[in-house]
Every structure is written in structure tokens, then in C-alpha cells.
Amino acid sequence: MAEQIYRVNMTNLTTSTEPVPDKWMGLGGRGLTSTIVADEVVPTCHPLGSKNKLVVAPGLLSGTVAANSGRLSVGAKSPLTGTIKEANAGGTAAQMLAKLGCKALIIEGLPKNDIWYTLQISKDGVTIQEEKELIGKGNFAVVAGIGKRTSAKHGVMTIGPAGEMKMLSANISIKDPDSHLRSSGRGGLGAVMGSKKVKCIIIEPTDAKVEIVDQEKFKEANRTFTKALVDNPISQALGTYGTNVLVNIINESGALPTKNFTGGQFDGHEEISGETMHDIIVEREGKPRHNCHKGCVIQCSQIYNDKDKKYKTSGFEYESIWAMGADCCVDNLDHIAEADHLMDDIGIDSIETSVAMGVAMEGGLLAFGDGEGICRILREDVGKGTPLGRIIGCGAGSVGRAFGVTRVPVVKNQAIPAYDPRAIKGMGITYATSTQGADHTMGYTIATNILGVGGSVDPLSQEGQVELSRNLQIATAAIDSTGMCLFIAFAALDDATCLPALVDMINARFGADLTAEDVTNLGISILKTERAFNEAAGFTSKDDRLPEFFYEEPIAPHNVVWDIPDEELDKFWNF
Ligand code: SF4
């Protein structure tokens, strides 16, 4: 089936399908969303105004049987950071869109009235329907409601109340194979969808298959690729303990931000660790291994049940557990799981919102450690959109300004996640220079700084950090374009067969003749496209900085400050 661009204009309520322009042909995932945003969005526009566009794109290998290839990219100008933004997630949508031949979905304009809509996507294009029944509903009710209206096999992308209220941390949720949720979490893309009055996007199932030019070569490459993933020891640890395996590791390294970034180790780390979580899940008959999309062989997700052995949350990630746990000093996994469930339902980024809670605790709203208080505020304020809820729902920077707190861990107004940059300098380079605000997934130097994957760079030294972050940011931009989960990077860095097999799969899929160098060049070109958009939006190297307190307040146990000189940071873009 020929791939097409699906376009929806919410001002005129019209839709169209268009041939893919040559310029976009070899792109997918983040490469495509960022290129379309750079080509079609006015960089200085208001992110919630009529000139912004929401772009959805499966990766180059999405819809095939390639292991771990089911990630979906969503892009726009971010209302949280003001920069270009891409957030990707698993779930069933990427594979379904790819099979329908949807290369990208572009949603533009704003409705002229106050009516909400649902978009329905099929092989024939998009239809727009007025939506009443699901407005005001949480994400779990939306997924159940769509299931009743259509079938359990339909794909769903939805926003919760946070997106409807255009909170700047609102996410877009994507139904997974078990009708649970995965989130395109960062940067407030749910608010962009809400500004366009699109409550949800329904995707019709199809028996169609993605075209593969050389089936035999593809199968052979996928066998090699899958073996590299399965044999990798970090993949195996992720499959056993989830990403939360990192709590004890990062605590040991002294880089687990604690009590709103005032310390690097948390006394309650054992209570919230991956090992403890694994035992609770097994005892309550949950699932310690689970995949967020069909074909994942790492299976870092899990199903976490409550004390009555009923579903509470899934995709219970280290960064969310850290943020509600160590950063807010909550050492009770059930309180953290309840908060995670509430944030999934409200449709709000669990990193941004939890870091915002830590800042609010410092501002005196709640005592540190009050997990029940956090859940109450999520339920009664954020979910209902009270003035306090809207301040929290607009992120850590918003809370800092409202409560007069100066220790606000954000870069470009996006919350810094679970790795303190003073004790792991490579992460600080990534937070400062990323085109998307502070985001660990943009250049995950933990691999080399802490886990010894792809070499070793001392996390406390200034040496080699810029180069490390740059190389990983380039590689990540390329991986994010393939539809691959970022966790393939551990095998790609450690196993000489992995990356060539990935390139072989792309070549077999499209009948192309790309080399590893071409893939690197793709990553470089994506970063430069994103950087150019940000510069046109008014960002300069002065925005590539960490907050003041990191330069001034040493963090225990290493008693170190952020000491990478600005001139060193500015060398990042010398490529
Ligand atoms: S490793 Fe985890 S995040 Fe990646 S595809 Fe599998 S379940 Fe999803």
C-alpha cells in the first residue's frame, strides 16, 4: 500500500490524503515529525494557537515484525518549552497507522466553535465526528468507551482532562495491547491536541501488511537483531526489574536527586527499588514482564496490582517512581502507584508533575513524604482544574513562580528527570543542550557514565562529557526515526552485530543501500533541523544552561557542583 500523508484541518473541518513529498520520503518517526514541524510551523507562533500543528508519525520500521519497532512519534511546538518537541511512546497506534499506509498525520488549525471532535482513521483517510459522550472523561474511561463503540482491536490516542484544560504538562495517551496506557509524556503535546479540540483519535484495524522489498534479507537481519537484544545483560535486567532497576544503581552513584534536588541519596531507596517492586508484583499476581507493543523482546513494562490483586498501573517507570519517590521523599510504592494511575487517567506527564510536587513541597504546600497528600491534590485539584491544580499542571517552573521557590530544576522550563547533573556530568550536558529542554532520553549518558556500556566516562569528571552527549544525541535522533525503542541502544553499543542488522532491516524494507554512516548523518541532520527551529523561535546558547542552584549548591555524598564551563557547553554544537 502506498504511503500517504493524512491531513486534517480543524478550522474548516476538512481532511485530505496527499502523496508523500520527496523530501519526507526517507524519513519516519522523530525525523519526520521534526521536519514537518520545521517546514510548516511558524517558529514564533503561540503553541496553543492556530499556527501550531500536531504531527503524528510511525517510525521507518513500524508495522513490520522487526523487534521493538512499535514506537510512535508525536511532534509540535511545545507549549511547555517553546521549543520544537518530539515525544514517543509504545502502544498499538504506530503499527496500526503504518499498516494503514499513514506516513504521517498532520492536524492543523483551530475550530471556530466550542465543539469537541473525534478523528477516525482508516485506509481511506480521516473522518471528523463531533464528540460529546467522552468529554471530561479520564483516559481509562475513554479507552473503555471507544472499545464499546467500536471494538477492542481499534487503536486509540486520547487526551484526559489535563489536555482538555490545556495544561502545559498534558500528555497524549496511547492504548497498549492490553487496553492499558502508554504516554507521549513530555512537553505538553496533549495541550496542543486539546487546543485543536480533538479528544481522541481512533484507528481502524486492518489485515494489510507493510510492504517489504526483500523479505528474506529482512527476516535474516531481524533474527540477528533480536538475538543481540535478547542476549544483552541490560536488556535482561530491564526484563526482570523494569527500568526501576535503576533506583539502587543511581542511589549508589550518589546521583538520585532527593528532596527537591537537595541530596543525591534517598534513605528510602530500598522501599521503592526495582527489586522490591518485582517482589510485590509477583506476590500480588501482577506481571513483572510485559510489552508495551507487540514484538518487544525486552519487555521492561509490568503490571502492578494493588493489595487486592487488582490492576493499579503499568509501564511503571524509574523516572516516575524516582520523581514521586526520592524527589518528594515518598517511600511507599503503593502511594506512588496510585499517583501514577491518577496521572495516567488525568493525562499528565508523571515526571513534570511529580517534580512540580517536589517544588510545591519546598514552597510549603505539603510536607515532604506525604504520598497521600499528593494523590489528594492530583484527584481534587489537578484532575478538576482548580487554580492550584492548573498551576501544578503547568509544570515545575509554573509552581516555582507561583510559590517563590528558587530551587526549580528545569531547563527551557521542562523538569530535569532522575539523574543529578552535578554527580553525572554527561546528563547535565544533555539537559542543557537538548533541542527539547531537559530530557534524559535525548542523550542517555547513563549508559557510559554509570553502566559502562559503549566505553567508560567518569561521571564526575569534566573530560569527554560533551563528546559523549553529542554522540548519543545524534544516535538517539536516528533511533527515534526508526520506530525502535531507545532500549535497543544498549545492545547497539555493545554488540557488533546489532547496528548493522538494524541498517540491513531498513535497507530490506525500502530496497535501499544505506550505510551506518548514513544513519549517523540522519541523526545529525535531525538535530540541526530542530536547532534551527529553536533559533528561529528566539532561543540562543544562553538558554543552554542549567539553573543557578546547580552551580552554587554542592550535592552529597560527592559534594560537587555543576562545573562544566559555559564555553565547553557551547562546543556541543560544533559539528
Ligand atoms: S523495552 Fe519497554 S519501552 Fe521498550 S518497547 Fe519494550 S516494553 Fe516498551
Side-chain angles (χ1 to χ4, degrees):
M1 186 185 298
E3 292 181 310
Q4 293 191 296
I5 302 294
Y6 288 28
R7 195 180 287 273
V8 178
N9 185 309
M10 293 305 297
T11 308
N12 306 323
L13 301 179
T14 55
T15 68
S16 62
T17 51
E18 305 162 6
V20 182
D22 287 349
K23 185 186 172 197
W24 299 350
M25 199 65 93
L27 299 170
R30 174 176 167 191
L32 188 53
T33 61
S34 288
T35 301
I36 294 175
V37 171
D39 284 353
E40 297 199 355
V41 173
V42 178
T44 50
C45 74
H46 194 298
L48 301 178
S50 63
K51 294 189 178 70
N52 201 6
K53 301 192 183 192
L54 188 71
V55 184
V56 178
L60 289 168
L61 292 172
S62 300
T64 72
V65 296
N68 288 58
S69 63
R71 305 286 292 190
L72 183 73
S73 289
V74 185
K77 175 171 174 169
S78 161
L80 183 72
T81 63
T83 64
I84 202 164
K85 175 61 63 178
E86 183 263 4
N88 66 68
T92 58
Q95 290 166 330
M96 295 180 76
L97 287 170
K99 286 177 185 171
L100 288 171
C102 177
K103 177 90 171 163
L105 167 69
I106 304 172
I107 307 172
E108 55 196 28
L110 296 184
K112 294 173 190 150
N113 50 36
D114 201 24
I115 295 172
W116 283 88
Y117 299 93
T118 290
L119 307 183
Q120 180 131 358
I121 302 187
S122 71
K123 64 179 177 9
D124 301 319
V126 192
T127 53
I128 306 174
Q129 284 149 5
E130 190 175 333
E131 180 61 62
K132 286 188 179 152
E133 183 196 346
L134 301 174
I135 303 311
K137 297 261 192 309
N139 283 319
F140 290 106
V142 172
V143 168
I146 300 287
K148 276 192 200 132
R149 195 185 290 176
T150 56
S151 81
K153 288 190 175 163
H154 279 68
V156 182
M157 297 175 66
T158 170
I159 55 169
E164 289 184 36
M165 291 185 272
K166 295 185 274 189
M167 291 182 184
L168 303 189
S169 313
N171 64 25
I172 297 175
S173 295
I174 302 170
K175 191 177 99 171
D176 81 359
D178 296 320
S179 294
H180 303 314
L181 301 169
R182 306 295 296 189
S183 306
S184 281
R186 308 230 63 194
L189 296 178
V192 179
M193 189 157 148
S195 73
K196 299 187 181 306
K197 297 239 177 283
V198 175
K199 174 68 177 174
C200 54
I201 302 169
I202 303 172
I203 308 164
E204 279 191 10
T206 175
D207 292 331
K209 289 197 167 35
V210 166
E211 191 186 330
I212 292 175
V213 172
D214 187 338
Q215 283 283 3
E216 279 316 305
K217 185 175 168 186
F218 190 92
K219 276 189 204 156
E220 180 59 36
N222 190 31
R223 265 194 292 275
T224 306
F225 182 72
T226 303
K227 183 171 182 332
L229 297 189
V230 171
D231 288 350
N232 184 271
I234 294 180
S235 297
Q236 291 164 3
L238 287 168
T240 306
Y241 299 112
T243 54
N244 203 28
V245 68
L246 284 163
V247 164
N248 283 341
I249 295 170
I250 303 300
N251 189 68
E252 180 65 26
S253 79
L256 189 75
T258 298
K259 204 176 184 187
N260 192 29
F261 285 75
T262 55
Q265 290 182 318
F266 179 44
D267 287 344
H269 65 97
E270 283 295 355
E271 282 77 7
I272 64 167
S273 69
E275 292 83 344
T276 301
M277 184 171 97
H278 176 270
D279 292 348
I280 291 174
I281 290 172
V282 171
E283 188 190 308
R284 296 180 184 173
E285 298 169 19
K287 281 191 194 171
R289 288 181 83 115
H290 177 250
N291 50 7
C292 74
H293 67 258
K294 207 170 144 195
C296 164
V297 295
I298 297 176
Q299 300 186 315
C300 79
S301 182
Q302 60 300 109
I303 305 282
Y304 184 97
N305 288 342
D306 65 15
K307 287 182 174 139
D308 299 324
K309 301 185 178 172
K310 294 214 174 67
Y311 174 84
K312 180 52 66 179
T313 195
S314 59
F316 201 18
E317 307 292 354
Y318 161 67
E319 286 78 13
S320 310
I321 293 169
W322 154 76
M324 197 58 69
D327 198 47
C328 293
C329 298
V330 174
D331 61 5
N332 181 318
L333 260 182
D334 282 330
H335 290 163
I336 299 172
E338 176 66 18
D340 198 52
H341 174 85
L342 287 165
M343 288 185 280
D344 277 352
D345 200 37
I346 295 165
I348 201 156
D349 178 15
S350 53
I351 297 176
E352 189 70 46
T353 309
S354 306
V355 173
M357 290 287 186
V359 175
M361 285 172 159
E362 179 158 336
L365 180 67
L366 277 178
F368 279 100
D370 186 356
E372 286 175 330
I374 289 172
C375 292
R376 188 184 67 246
I377 288 174
L378 285 171
R379 214 177 280 117
E380 294 177 9
D381 291 292
V382 181
K384 292 183 179 164
T386 65
L388 172 64
R390 285 173 188 262
I391 289 169
I392 293 171
C394 285
S398 154
V399 171
R401 287 187 285 278
F403 285 77
V405 176
T406 53
R407 191 181 295 103
V408 183
V410 297
V411 177
K412 301 185 179 77
N413 202 40
Q414 181 163 280
I416 290 177
Y419 315 88
D420 197 291
R422 289 164 288 193
I424 306 178
K425 312 280 185 203
M427 287 311 294
I429 306 282
T430 294
Y431 298 149
T433 58
S434 149
T435 51
Q436 325 240 344
D439 187 334
H440 60 292
T441 66
M442 289 291 134
Y444 193 62
T445 73
I446 298 307
T448 310
N449 280 151
I450 300 295
L451 303 175
V453 178
S456 175
V457 173
D458 178 355
L460 294 165
S461 157
Q462 294 184 6
E463 292 299 311
Q465 309 289 2
V466 168
E467 194 186 358
L468 174 65
S469 175
R470 183 194 294 130
N471 289 341
L472 288 169
Q473 290 200 49
I474 290 169
T476 301
I479 290 172
D480 286 344
S481 304
T482 61
M484 287 287 164
C485 161
L486 190 54
F487 295 147
I488 69 151
F490 299 116
L493 286 165
D494 248 9
D495 183 328
T497 67
C498 185
L499 198 54
L502 176 59
V503 177
D504 282 350
M505 282 194 288
I506 297 171
N507 285 335
R509 157 96 166 87
F510 295 100
D513 197 17
L514 299 175
T515 62
E517 194 183 346
D518 293 325
V519 176
T520 302
N521 287 337
L522 171 68
I524 290 172
S525 122
I526 295 165
L527 289 188
K528 289 194 168 173
T529 298
E530 293 173 346
R531 173 79 166 173
F533 181 93
N534 291 346
E535 285 176 343
F539 287 86
T540 70
S541 57
K542 302 274 181 302
D543 298 296
D544 292 349
R545 302 288 183 260
L546 298 187
E548 238 172 67
F549 77 89
F550 285 116
Y551 295 79
E552 294 168 353
E553 299 178 11
I555 188 177
H558 299 294
N559 296 318
V560 284
V561 294
W562 172 250
D563 56 1
I564 304 276
D566 291 352
E567 311 80 65
E568 200 57 24
L569 273 175
D570 292 342
K571 287 182 188 160
F572 177 89
W573 286 101
N574 293 346
F575 63 95

